Amino acid sequence: MGVVRFINEAAAGLFATEGLTGASYYFGLAVLVVAMIWGAVLAYRSWEEAHEDLDPATRDELLDVFEQARADGELDEDELARVRSRLDRGE
């Protein structure tokens, strides 16, 4: 809550009847510039993530999963052979 209190105290100087002082003007300007830069960084990261090319899994990556399942006893040898043949054919 210290930040909120700081902003409230700084805002009093911004809306003073005598107008903006040099320090409050430049402080507000600096905050605005930092916020814009931070927003641009976040927007770029979001855009980059949305346009990221996802590479499909390779044959070896897929086969590793099925070989692990075979080692765990979830697949038998015939099922693993069938998976290998389908991967070799590209299905």
Side-chain angles (χ1 to χ4, degrees):
M1 285 302 197
V3 174
V4 173
R5 183 176 296 147
F6 175 76
I7 291 173
N8 283 335
E9 291 172 1
L14 291 176
F15 300 110
T17 57
E18 69 271 356
L20 293 175
T21 63
S24 64
Y25 174 79
Y26 288 115
F27 174 75
L29 185 61
V31 169
L32 181 63
V33 168
V34 168
M36 289 179 64
I37 290 172
W38 182 249
V41 167
L42 291 178
Y44 176 74
R45 286 182 182 173
S46 178
W47 179 86
E48 194 174 50
E49 184 177 325
H51 292 86
E52 180 181 40
D53 290 333
L54 299 176
D55 297 326
T58 64
R59 178 193 178 279
D60 292 333
E61 291 171 340
L62 291 172
L63 195 55
D64 285 342
V65 173
F66 289 107
E67 286 174 348
Q68 182 63 41
R70 169 67 182 111
D72 292 341
E74 297 175 14
L75 292 176
D76 62 18
E77 196 60 44
D78 293 335
E79 291 172 321
L80 184 59
R82 188 177 60 214
V83 168
R84 278 190 180 131
S85 68
R86 292 188 91 174
L87 287 174
D88 288 339
R89 288 187 305 215
E91 293 181 11

